[in-house]
Amino acid sequence: MTTGSLLVADLVLAVLTAAGWLGGGAAAAARRRPLALGLAAVALLATLGRALTVIALARAGWWFAAEKVLIAAPLSLAAVVVAGPRLLRAAGDLRSVAVPLLFAGYAVSGALLVTILHGYPASASVGLLAVAGVGTAAAVSWRFLARPSRTVSRAATVVTVAALLAGTGLAVATDAAPAVPHDHGYPQLRTTDEPTRRFTLTAGTARVNVGGRDVAAWAFNAQVPGPELTATVGDVVEVTLHNRDIGRGVTLHWHGYDVPNSQDGVPGVTQAAVLPGQEFVYRFRADQAGTYWYHTHAVSDVGVRMGLYGVLVVRPGPTTGLDVTVPVHTLAGRPLPPARVERVEAGVPVRLRLINTDNTTHRYALAGAAFRVAAIDGSDLRGPTPLADTAVLIPAGGRYDLVFTAPASPVALFVDGRVVYSTGEVSTATGGWPVLDPLTYGVPAPVPWARFDRKFTLVLDRGLDLRGLLPRYAHTVNGAADPDIPPQVVRRGDVVRFTIVNRSQTVHPWHLHGHHVLVLSRTRKAAIGSPLWLDSFDVRPGEVWEVAFRADNPGMWANHCHNLGHADAGMTLHLMYS
Ligand code: C2O
Ligand code: CU
């Protein structure tokens, strides 16, 4: 069983346990003896099952099991100890065990709420608050269903109140996260007189045609995607951004391009958002070849989805053959780009630059030719071998360059089963093809560092964020949501290792600005293929990724989930140079 499915199984068992105890308690109160016994038996069995899932999760990594071991296990044990013996002793009328059964139900539900609302890391304050909640609920039931003795009810009240006070106190005391210094003075880049590629992008609302239908969009130069920006290594790229009428502001972020921090386009961090009527000039030297893209980073979730993105390709020099970019996007529920058919003569070298600009993973399948994955996220792979009848999964924000020599027969590229590019009619079912694992593809090279100066762990989860004006169910990192997640602080020259753990039920495509990270391992399996220098990678439920990089690009860098809805709902933090 994968850790992802263990997480699901554990959640299901926890719900069953809680439902069994609570239902059993209600049935006992209603004198439905067989029902009460049956439900209590379900709860006991599910508790046993959970012992197994929690042990397995703890073995997969403490992050997956911390609050289950520290909070759920003791509460479940208390539930069994309180309800079990009384159930066995009670003859005939089960009404006397209604309260113990309900107590068991509250205990398990309390622990379940800790998992759902708080997650990782488990803290004493959360544990105490859970105990207080369970105590209160049990006391209320007790008053209504039984007549407690004075001393017992006093003792219970004291425990509950003490837990509540201690828990709240601890929560308040540990709440002050160091905030990221936002809205500082933004440094400007000096201009130079080197060979310069100049572009102008004007952002504005527009109506564009997708699949024969006119839809409302936000567009650069009235087109979705925006104009394709191309350069040759060594050029200076200068892009003037105008905002005509995007009320919430626009910026340009060069996704995967490790530009100087002042050109990174993150509003509130590297610049102010460009408001209607304003402009901003970006300049950077194109010294990395490869496939990249640009997009707005102001209200990025809405802005990118509405169409404010485009392709950036930097070529090492003059190229031969066919070079095609395929930026995949979903606009107003419809897929882009439209299918393109092109006659290609046999023997022509072809490079397909696949770009996923959506929020979720896409599956790409090239039928009709053996191909190699020449580059991922702009970096060339070492010794890529020919592949046939194999699909690739590209995470949100990610890019794969596929190269092949055009055969005499037609070739087609499928994205999630739809043809987006072809050289003729191809009818191949690609749905059953195996998927390439880039961690085992190509020829390895030794990791360039022997030790790490800094190590950070990011645990991705969901939880209740109470720090804002209104509580919200956020996507969290280490139990906090943006802007309350402390930044990772590094010094220039440090070799930094990130361990990224996903204990949630959804995929999180991770994206660090300003740096490419080298993949060391995924879920304890070392990367054994070509060195993989990525800027976007899917951390699936239950996975643990270890990646490393040299801190060589000073500044304040966004580090976030590229499911931009998640990023806007809390899953954004920063890498900061001291
Ligand atoms: Cu492509 Cu911060 O994003
Ligand atoms: Cu995410």
Side-chain angles (χ1 to χ4, degrees):
M1 231 185 190
T2 64
T3 309
S5 33
L6 274 175
L7 285 168
V8 176
D10 184 70
L11 204 61
V12 170
L13 286 173
V15 170
L16 265 182
T17 319
W21 288 132
L22 290 173
R31 301 193 206 184
R32 307 272 300 272
R33 189 183 156 83
L35 185 62
L37 287 175
L39 287 169
V42 166
L44 276 170
L45 280 178
T47 307
L48 279 179
R50 270 205 94 189
L52 300 181
T53 54
V54 171
I55 289 169
L57 285 170
R59 292 187 51 188
W62 179 241
W63 320 283
F64 299 113
E67 91 290 1
K68 299 178 180 75
V69 172
L70 296 175
I71 298 171
L75 282 174
S76 303
L77 201 66
V80 172
V81 166
V82 170
R86 287 181 176 72
L87 197 61
L88 292 180
R89 261 187 273 125
D93 187 2
L94 275 187
R95 276 218 302 170
S96 62
V97 293
V99 174
L101 288 175
L102 287 173
F103 165 79
Y106 300 145
V108 176
S109 311
L112 185 58
L113 281 181
V114 170
T115 291
I116 293 173
L117 297 182
H118 182 75
Y120 185 88
S123 63
S125 61
V126 172
L128 287 166
L129 289 174
V131 168
V134 172
T136 309
V140 171
S141 313
W142 206 355
R143 279 216 87 90
F144 284 105
L145 295 175
R147 243 166 301 277
S149 79
R150 268 263 170 94
T151 36
V152 174
S153 81
R154 261 196 209 139
T157 313
V158 167
V159 169
T160 302
V161 171
L164 183 66
L165 290 178
T168 316
L170 278 175
V172 169
T174 52
D175 215 19
V180 173
H182 283 260
D183 296 313
H184 42 80
Y186 304 109
Q188 288 293 315
L189 205 68
R190 278 172 285 111
T191 53
T192 53
D193 21 64
E194 287 154 290
T196 302
R197 298 270 297 158
R198 292 199 170 78
F199 303 94
T200 300
L201 296 179
T202 302
T205 54
R207 293 203 69 85
V208 297
N209 191 282
V210 199
R213 203 166 52 116
D214 247 12
V215 301
W218 295 357
F220 288 118
N221 300 4
Q223 63 183 83
V224 177
E228 185 166 316
L229 310 186
T230 57
T232 306
V233 169
D235 288 347
V236 167
V237 176
E238 183 182 292
V239 182
T240 304
L241 168 69
H242 294 283
N243 180 356
R244 203 185 56 223
D245 61 353
I246 303 297
R248 300 172 77 175
V250 182
T251 63
L252 289 175
H253 168 60
W254 313 97
H255 184 112
Y257 222 72
D258 300 333
V259 298
N261 194 238
S262 60
Q263 308 303 299
D264 196 44
V266 179
V269 178
T270 68
Q271 67 169 103
V274 178
L275 297 175
Q278 295 181 339
E279 70 166 48
F280 190 95
V281 180
Y282 296 87
R283 268 180 86 85
F284 55 89
R285 187 176 292 101
D287 43 19
Q288 301 163 238
T291 309
Y292 304 90
W293 61 299
Y294 61 87
H295 62 79
T296 183
H297 220 287
V299 281
S300 60
D301 178 30
V302 185
V304 177
R305 212 168 351 107
M306 292 293 284
L308 290 173
Y309 72 95
V311 172
L312 168 67
V313 173
V314 178
R315 297 194 170 87
T319 49
T320 51
L322 199 65
D323 191 329
V324 182
T325 54
V326 187
V328 168
H329 193 76
T330 309
L331 187 64
R334 306 201 153 203
L336 278 173
R340 168 169 158 195
V341 188
E342 195 164 35
R343 291 262 152 258
V344 181
E345 258 176 64
V348 171
V350 182
R351 177 178 287 253
L352 295 179
R353 300 174 183 269
L354 315 180
I355 310 174
N356 181 357
T357 72
D358 271 328
N359 278 330
T360 50
T361 317
H362 285 301
R363 182 179 191 277
Y364 299 72
L366 182 68
F371 65 96
R372 297 164 202 261
V373 180
I376 299 181
D377 286 0
S379 300
D380 285 346
L381 299 190
R382 193 161 181 258
T385 47
L387 297 166
D389 297 354
T390 303
V392 299
L393 294 179
I394 305 188
R399 288 91 56 215
Y400 275 48
D401 288 17
L402 310 188
V403 298
F404 60 93
T405 305
S409 51
V411 167
L413 173 71
F414 293 81
V415 178
D416 303 328
R418 179 182 76 93
V419 174
V420 291
Y421 179 85
S422 66
T423 62
E425 186 72 30
V426 174
S427 52
T428 310
T430 61
W433 286 5
V435 168
L436 175 73
D437 180 0
L439 271 70
T440 60
Y441 180 65
V443 176
V447 173
W449 316 292
R451 56 180 191 87
F452 303 102
D453 304 299
R454 317 260 159 168
K455 295 176 188 168
F456 301 107
T457 300
L458 308 181
V459 179
L460 316 181
D461 204 351
R462 289 212 83 172
L464 199 61
D465 178 25
L466 298 169
R467 293 181 175 101
L469 217 49
L470 290 172
R472 58 176 182 156
Y473 198 45
H475 291 273
T476 57
V477 180
N478 298 341
D482 185 47
D484 300 310
I485 311 172
Q488 275 72 48
V489 182
V490 298
R491 268 180 336 203
R492 190 177 195 158
D494 280 350
V495 178
V496 184
R497 192 185 75 188
F498 273 121
T499 302
I500 306 175
V501 181
N502 185 353
R503 45 165 282 158
S504 78
Q505 312 287 341
T506 28
V507 177
H508 295 297
W510 204 257
H511 174 55
L512 169 64
H513 286 210
H515 306 75
H516 278 75
V517 300
L518 177 66
V519 178
L520 305 174
S521 71
R522 182 188 57 214
T523 315
R524 291 194 185 140
K525 287 215 181 80
I528 54 167
S530 158
L532 275 182
W533 290 93
L534 305 183
D535 55 62
S536 310
F537 49 95
D538 270 345
V539 185
R540 297 190 184 83
E543 282 185 349
V544 179
W545 284 66
E546 280 188 320
V547 301
F549 61 96
R550 181 178 290 282
D552 55 4
N553 197 3
M556 169 80 85
W557 300 98
N559 186 17
H560 63 91
C561 177
H562 217 280
N563 184 326
L564 297 171
H566 298 179
D568 285 5
M571 206 168 254
T572 298
L573 64 163
H574 297 85
L575 174 76
M576 191 173 118
Y577 282 66
S578 61

Coordinates of all heavy atoms in Angstrom, one line a residue, residues 42-75:
V42 N -18.3 -2.7 15.6 CA -17.7 -2.0 14.4 C -16.6 -1.1 14.9 O -15.5 -1.1 14.4 CB -18.8 -1.2 13.6 CG1 -18.1 -0.3 12.6 CG2 -19.7 -2.2 12.9
A43 N -16.9 -0.3 15.9 CA -15.9 0.7 16.4 C -14.7 0.0 16.9 O -13.6 0.4 16.7 CB -16.6 1.5 17.6
L44 N -14.9 -1.1 17.7 CA -13.7 -1.9 18.2 C -12.9 -2.4 17.1 O -11.6 -2.3 17.1 CB -14.2 -3.0 19.1 CG -14.5 -2.6 20.5 CD1 -15.2 -3.7 21.3 CD2 -13.2 -2.1 21.2
L45 N -13.5 -3.0 16.1 CA -12.8 -3.5 14.9 C -12.0 -2.5 14.2 O -10.8 -2.6 13.8 CB -13.7 -4.3 14.0 CG -14.1 -5.7 14.4 CD1 -15.1 -6.2 13.4 CD2 -12.9 -6.6 14.5
A46 N -12.7 -1.3 13.9 CA -12.0 -0.2 13.2 C -10.9 0.3 14.0 O -9.8 0.7 13.5 CB -13.1 0.9 12.9
T47 N -11.0 0.3 15.4 CA -9.9 0.8 16.2 C -8.7 -0.1 16.0 O -7.5 0.3 15.9 CB -10.3 0.8 17.7 OG1 -11.5 1.5 17.8 CG2 -9.2 1.4 18.6
L48 N -8.9 -1.4 16.0 CA -7.8 -2.4 15.8 C -7.2 -2.1 14.4 O -5.9 -2.1 14.3 CB -8.4 -3.8 15.8 CG -8.6 -4.4 17.2 CD1 -9.1 -5.8 17.1 CD2 -7.2 -4.4 17.9
G49 N -8.0 -1.9 13.4 CA -7.5 -1.6 12.0 C -6.6 -0.4 12.1 O -5.6 -0.3 11.5
R50 N -7.1 0.6 12.8 CA -6.3 1.9 12.8 C -5.0 1.7 13.5 O -4.0 2.4 13.1 CB -7.1 2.9 13.6 CG -8.0 3.7 12.8 CD -8.3 5.1 13.5 NE -7.4 6.1 13.0 CZ -7.3 7.3 13.6 NH1 -8.0 7.5 14.6 NH2 -6.5 8.2 13.1
A51 N -4.9 0.8 14.5 CA -3.6 0.6 15.1 C -2.6 0.2 14.0 O -1.5 0.7 14.0 CB -3.7 -0.5 16.1
L52 N -3.1 -0.6 13.0 CA -2.2 -1.0 11.9 C -1.8 0.1 11.0 O -0.7 0.4 10.6 CB -2.8 -2.2 11.1 CG -3.1 -3.4 11.9 CD1 -3.8 -4.5 11.0 CD2 -1.8 -4.0 12.6
T53 N -2.9 0.9 10.6 CA -2.6 2.0 9.6 C -1.7 3.1 10.3 O -0.8 3.6 9.6 CB -3.9 2.7 9.1 OG1 -4.7 3.1 10.2 CG2 -4.7 1.8 8.3
V54 N -1.9 3.3 11.6 CA -1.1 4.4 12.2 C 0.4 3.9 12.3 O 1.3 4.6 12.1 CB -1.6 4.8 13.6 CG1 -0.7 5.7 14.3 CG2 -3.0 5.5 13.4
I55 N 0.6 2.6 12.7 CA 2.0 2.1 12.7 C 2.6 2.2 11.4 O 3.8 2.6 11.2 CB 2.0 0.6 13.3 CG1 1.6 0.6 14.8 CG2 3.3 0.0 13.0 CD1 1.3 -0.8 15.3
A56 N 1.9 1.8 10.3 CA 2.4 1.8 9.0 C 2.8 3.2 8.6 O 3.8 3.5 8.0 CB 1.5 1.2 8.0
L57 N 1.9 4.2 8.9 CA 2.2 5.6 8.6 C 3.4 6.1 9.3 O 4.2 6.8 8.8 CB 1.0 6.5 8.9 CG -0.2 6.3 7.9 CD1 -1.4 7.0 8.4 CD2 0.2 6.9 6.5
A58 N 3.5 5.7 10.6 CA 4.7 6.2 11.4 C 6.0 5.7 10.8 O 7.0 6.3 10.7 CB 4.6 5.7 12.8
R59 N 5.9 4.4 10.2 CA 7.1 3.9 9.6 C 7.4 4.6 8.3 O 8.6 4.7 7.9 CB 6.9 2.4 9.4 CG 6.9 1.6 10.7 CD 6.9 0.1 10.5 NE 7.9 -0.3 9.6 CZ 8.1 -1.5 9.1 NH1 7.2 -2.4 9.4 NH2 9.1 -1.8 8.3
A60 N 6.4 5.1 7.6 CA 6.6 5.8 6.3 C 7.2 7.2 6.6 O 7.8 7.8 5.8 CB 5.3 6.0 5.6
G61 N 7.1 7.7 7.8 CA 7.6 9.0 8.2 C 6.8 9.6 9.3 O 5.6 9.6 9.3
W62 N 7.5 10.2 10.3 CA 6.8 10.7 11.5 C 5.8 11.8 11.1 O 4.7 11.9 11.7 CB 7.9 11.3 12.4 CG 7.3 11.9 13.7 CD1 7.4 13.2 14.1 CD2 6.5 11.2 14.7 NE1 6.8 13.4 15.3 CE2 6.2 12.2 15.7 CE3 6.1 9.9 14.8 CZ2 5.5 11.9 16.8 CZ3 5.3 9.6 16.0 CH2 5.1 10.6 16.9
W63 N 6.1 12.6 10.0 CA 5.2 13.6 9.6 C 3.8 13.1 9.3 O 2.8 13.8 9.5 CB 5.6 14.3 8.3 CG 7.1 14.5 8.2 CD1 7.8 15.5 8.8 CD2 8.0 13.7 7.5 NE1 9.1 15.3 8.5 CE2 9.3 14.3 7.7 CE3 7.9 12.6 6.6 CZ2 10.5 13.7 7.1 CZ3 9.1 12.1 6.1 CH2 10.3 12.6 6.3
F64 N 3.7 11.8 8.8 CA 2.4 11.3 8.5 C 1.6 10.9 9.7 O 0.3 10.7 9.6 CB 2.5 10.1 7.5 CG 3.2 10.5 6.2 CD1 4.5 10.0 5.9 CD2 2.6 11.3 5.3 CE1 5.1 10.3 4.7 CE2 3.2 11.7 4.1 CZ 4.5 11.1 3.8
A65 N 2.2 10.6 10.8 CA 1.5 10.0 11.9 C 1.6 10.8 13.2 O 1.0 10.3 14.2 CB 2.2 8.6 12.1
A66 N 2.3 11.9 13.3 CA 2.6 12.6 14.5 C 1.3 12.7 15.4 O 1.3 12.2 16.5 CB 3.3 13.9 14.3
E67 N 0.3 13.4 14.8 CA -0.8 13.7 15.7 C -1.7 12.5 15.9 O -2.4 12.4 16.9 CB -1.7 14.9 15.1 CG -2.8 14.5 14.1 CD -2.3 13.9 12.8 OE1 -1.1 13.8 12.6 OE2 -3.1 13.5 12.0
K68 N -1.5 11.5 15.1 CA -2.3 10.2 15.3 C -1.7 9.5 16.5 O -2.4 8.9 17.3 CB -2.3 9.4 14.0 CG -2.9 10.1 12.9 CD -2.9 9.3 11.6 CE -3.5 10.0 10.4 NZ -2.7 11.1 9.9
V69 N -0.4 9.5 16.6 CA 0.3 8.8 17.7 C 0.1 9.6 19.0 O -0.2 9.0 20.0 CB 1.8 8.6 17.4 CG1 2.5 8.0 18.6 CG2 2.0 7.6 16.2
L70 N 0.3 10.9 18.9 CA 0.4 11.7 20.1 C -1.0 12.0 20.6 O -1.2 12.2 21.9 CB 1.2 13.0 19.9 CG 2.6 12.7 19.5 CD1 3.3 14.1 19.2 CD2 3.3 12.1 20.7
I71 N -2.0 12.2 19.8 CA -3.3 12.6 20.2 C -4.4 11.6 20.0 O -5.2 11.2 20.9 CB -3.7 14.0 19.5 CG1 -2.7 15.0 19.9 CG2 -5.1 14.4 19.9 CD1 -2.8 16.3 19.2
A72 N -4.5 11.0 18.7 CA -5.5 10.1 18.4 C -5.4 8.8 19.2 O -6.3 8.2 19.7 CB -5.6 9.8 16.9
A73 N -4.1 8.3 19.3 CA -3.9 7.0 20.0 C -4.4 7.0 21.4 O -5.1 6.2 21.9 CB -2.5 6.5 19.8
P74 N -3.9 8.0 22.2 CA -4.3 8.1 23.6 C -5.8 8.3 23.8 O -6.4 7.6 24.6 CB -3.6 9.3 24.2 CG -2.5 9.6 23.3 CD -2.8 9.1 21.9
L75 N -6.4 9.1 22.9 CA -7.9 9.3 23.0 C -8.6 8.0 22.7 O -9.6 7.7 23.3 CB -8.3 10.5 22.2 CG -8.0 11.9 22.7 CD1 -8.3 13.0 21.7 CD2 -8.8 12.1 24.0

